[in-house]
Amino acid sequence: MPPETMLSQGVSVSKVITKEELCLFEQVAPACGIIIFGASGDLTHRKLLPSLFALAQENLLPKQFYILGLARSPMSDSDFQAKVLDSLGQAATAAARQDFVRHCGYLAGEYQDSKTYEGLRQRLGGLDGIYETSGRHLFYLSTPPSLYETIAAQLGQSGFADSRNPEAWIRIVIEKPFGSSLATAEQLNLSLHRVFREKQIYRIDHYLGKETVQNILMFRFANAIYEPVWNNHYIDQVQITAAESAGVEHRAGYYEQAGALRDMFQNHLFQLLSLIAMEPPASLAADAVRDEKSKVLASLSFPKGCDWQDGVVRGQYAAGAVDDEVVPGYRQEPGVKPISTIETYAALKLEIDNWRWHGVPFYLRSGKRMPARTTDIRVVFKHVPTSIFQPLLADQISPNILHFRIQPDEGIALRFEAKHPGPKLCMSSVTMHFDYEDAFGIRPPEAYARLFHDVMVGDQTLFSRQDWLSHSWRFLDPILECWAKEKEAGLAFYPAGSWGPAEADDLLQKDGRQWLTT
Ligand code: NDP
Ligand code: BG6
């Protein structure tokens, strides 16, 4: 009897299949309606609609689907379709774009108003009939977070959260940020659970949809050579960087309430940390993976305080230059308070107190207005124990570094020492590269496309679970509270176009280390 094969969605295939066959396995999403709350907003325009179109081009959208946009702005179906066309730019062919927009419609309404949901019922009734969706609905909440609870409650009251049709499913996608503290995140969970079951809730983090982020699991657990050295016996430190050259742009209204810790660490950086540090999961089933990720955050040691000596740095960009362009400081950006103490940069030294990682520092940093847009993870191995290349000492021989390039130039590189040709004893660091584009001939697809598909096929692996979110907020809350009390004291300014405040360098120098940027 061949063993059962478990695919990521928890689907079992009772025969041995080859890698090539596994690759052909594709879950086809059934006919469904996609209802986007926040359809006139920035995210819908820049990411959601182009991603849905990309899926359609890959034949990963069901043949029978519709997209219904919902927002306040008064718009007809054809006005919305014109906006959709604008979002798609020049992707694929004009005929393909036209075909796609024919599936799109629009309904104007206030989310707080129950009449909106009466209108929604009528529209969905008609569309479900035309597209034969059997009542399968994906509600995507891309609205200001303050409206999530209202919308969920209204959907519940109007009977949209359940269906008597056994073929139907109803799923709700919640955009980030998911709360702004442990209390608000738990309150939001509670409100969602009053209406939806956990299996229906998809808390999105678009970093998990990035190919290179998904590849961390494959790299770690489909290769035998890394696992034996993936621990405190061999690894000296791990650095995770998410740098952006852009400033706050037009999002000051949101960012003034958030800051770098809530905007980037609570979700994206902590997801990267969890994937790099987790134990091997029992399978690729959603909860098996999410169990292990949760344990990582549960094992974090809390810092003693919120100063740089405690392993916590916060900074804000001052005026400077990025790519030779002079740019204003954060406080001079439109919509930002001139005395704002919101951090646009943060760095943390984290310790995961478990058997695997005890004693290995994880340095995380993220900031706006840095010299480049780059997200990466560097796993730095220990020095060789002793040197046979005397008079070179062991710590003069550069340690191996495994470099995950999440974006741009997606790939993985391994640095090691090599001998120069010739009779002299010359040694240099060289790098072995894997590059996505070279290896597979395509650029990694847009993260949201993968995530939309996962929701349609009911796979929650790449979505945050409630307990993981609670652990992340539980860790960050004391730091955020401490910063709120300290206001400007302890806020370090850095010129736009630099790699952050000097305190972040001091943090590593204190440990005899430095940030790796090249
Ligand atoms: P926008 O402000 O651009 O869009 C908000 C949308 O919500 C608009 O369509 C707006 O409609 C609608 N809306 C707001 N209030 C109401 C209301 N009372 N009744 C009906 N409609 C309402 O926000 P974004 O698109 O930037 O962000 C959406 C969500 O996605 C947020 O949670 C954000 O944190 C998250 N996100 C955004 C990212 C981005 O790059 N933009 C990145 C990651 C997450 P109208 O304009 O017609 O009034
Ligand atoms: C979003 C943050 O979640 O991620 C933004 O709200 C940030 O502030 C963005 O710019 C970065 O995403 P990416 O995919 O460009 O790295």
Side-chain angles (χ1 to χ4, degrees), residues 47 175-176 205-207 210 242-244 246-247 249 251 254-255 263-264 267-268 368 373 375 407 446-448:
K47 299 283 184 187
E175 253 305 334
K176 66 163 280 260
D205 183 322
H206 77 279
Y207 265 54
K210 290 180 192 279
E244 295 182 87
E249 298 180 302
R251 295 179 72 211
Y254 153 72
Y255 204 80
D263 187 44
M264 294 294 291
N267 31 67
H268 310 325
K368 295 207 181 273
R373 175 176 181 258
T375 302
Q407 61 187 23
E446 174 56 62
Y448 280 94

Side-chain angles (χ1 to χ4, degrees), residues 37-47 70-75 106 109-112 140-145 147-148 175-177 206 250-251 254 263 268 448:
F37 288 75
S40 58
D42 174 68
L43 187 71
T44 303
H45 173 70
R46 285 192 307 109
K47 299 283 184 187
L70 206 73
R72 267 181 312 208
S73 307
M75 256 191 285
Y106 183 80
E110 278 279 349
Y111 298 146
Q112 294 90 333
Y140 197 112
L141 271 48
S142 175
T143 69
L147 290 168
Y148 295 160
E175 253 305 334
K176 66 163 280 260
H206 77 279
H250 57 281
R251 295 179 72 211
Y254 153 72
D263 187 44
H268 310 325
Y448 280 94

Side-chain angles (χ1 to χ4, degrees), residues 305-308 310 312 314 341 479-491:
C306 67
D307 292 335
W308 76 264
D310 305 309
V312 181
R314 70 177 164 139
T341 56
I479 303 173
L480 289 162
E481 279 162 22
C482 182
W483 284 355
K485 268 194 221 125
E486 285 199 347
K487 301 204 170 78
E488 190 152 333
L491 177 67

